[in-house]
Amino acid sequence: MYKIGHFSLIDKIAKLVKEADILYWSRSLLQLTYAFIDGCIASSDEPPPFTIPHVRFVDAGMAISYSQQDPKPTRAGSKTGSTCVGYLVEELIEGGPNAFLKFIHNMDSNPLLDQDNYHYEVALFFSFTQHVQYVKTGGPAFISDYQGIFFIAL
């Protein structure tokens, strides 16, 4: 039988801050990829013979709840609030579990989707972005676990 454990508040906040930082840097890596693509298109005589997907990460942020006052004064006459709990708040992905896709597994750069899947081309694009990010950063950073939903804006 497994025992359910919880991190201490200080450890939980540290882990949430790390997750928020990862989301921040992932956005930067994706922007780096689109800058590379834009540079390639600008230096080419012809546009690419395929459509380039435009993807983004969900919006997210940290939410930390504080008590109004600590019941015991820290110095003579002063009372301060204390941290109660922290959350990573993320944008809701519409469409429910049936719309959610895992395009690439975090242990493999190959698409998880079959070639006949409607979204296979997007998964191939994600493989390409990993390659660009790996090369442009010299190897230490790339987005490895693409997942979410994909829709075509009309």
Side-chain angles (χ1 to χ4, degrees):
M1 175 147 250
Y2 293 100
K3 181 179 177 183
I4 296 175
H6 298 279
F7 291 110
S8 67
L9 181 59
I10 191 88
D11 290 339
K12 181 177 181 177
I13 297 292
K15 290 181 183 304
L16 291 173
V17 167
K18 183 182 271 187
E19 182 72 19
D21 281 347
I22 290 169
L23 282 168
Y24 175 81
W25 287 108
S26 295
R27 285 177 181 238
S28 296
L29 285 169
L30 191 57
Q31 288 175 351
L32 171 79
T33 305
Y34 280 115
F36 173 80
I37 292 168
D38 292 343
C40 290
I41 291 172
S43 66
S44 177
D45 294 336
E46 297 179 21
F50 49 83
T51 302
I52 297 171
H54 292 280
V55 298
R56 68 176 182 87
F57 284 94
V58 295
D59 290 326
M62 288 284 303
I64 299 175
S65 172
Y66 294 93
S67 65
Q68 290 184 4
Q69 287 187 338
D70 200 345
K72 51 188 178 213
T74 55
R75 290 188 210 144
S78 70
K79 291 185 177 181
T80 60
S82 62
T83 305
C84 295
V85 69
Y87 300 97
L88 181 66
V89 182
E90 296 179 324
E91 172 185 1
L92 177 65
I93 297 176
E94 298 289 339
N98 293 338
F100 189 83
L101 291 172
K102 191 165 178 86
F103 292 93
I104 294 179
H105 190 272
N106 56 357
M107 298 299 287
D108 190 356
S109 62
N110 296 316
L112 282 175
L113 305 178
D114 294 329
Q115 288 183 351
D116 60 349
N117 187 297
Y118 179 73
H119 299 297
Y120 181 74
E121 296 294 321
V122 176
L124 279 178
F125 174 75
F126 288 145
S127 290
F128 161 78
T129 66
Q130 287 181 328
H131 178 75
V132 170
Q133 293 158 6
Y134 183 86
V135 170
K136 289 293 189 180
T137 64
F142 60 91
I143 301 165
S144 65
D145 192 11
Y146 282 109
Q147 51 188 308
I149 63 169
F150 184 80
F151 63 93
I152 299 170
L154 302 175

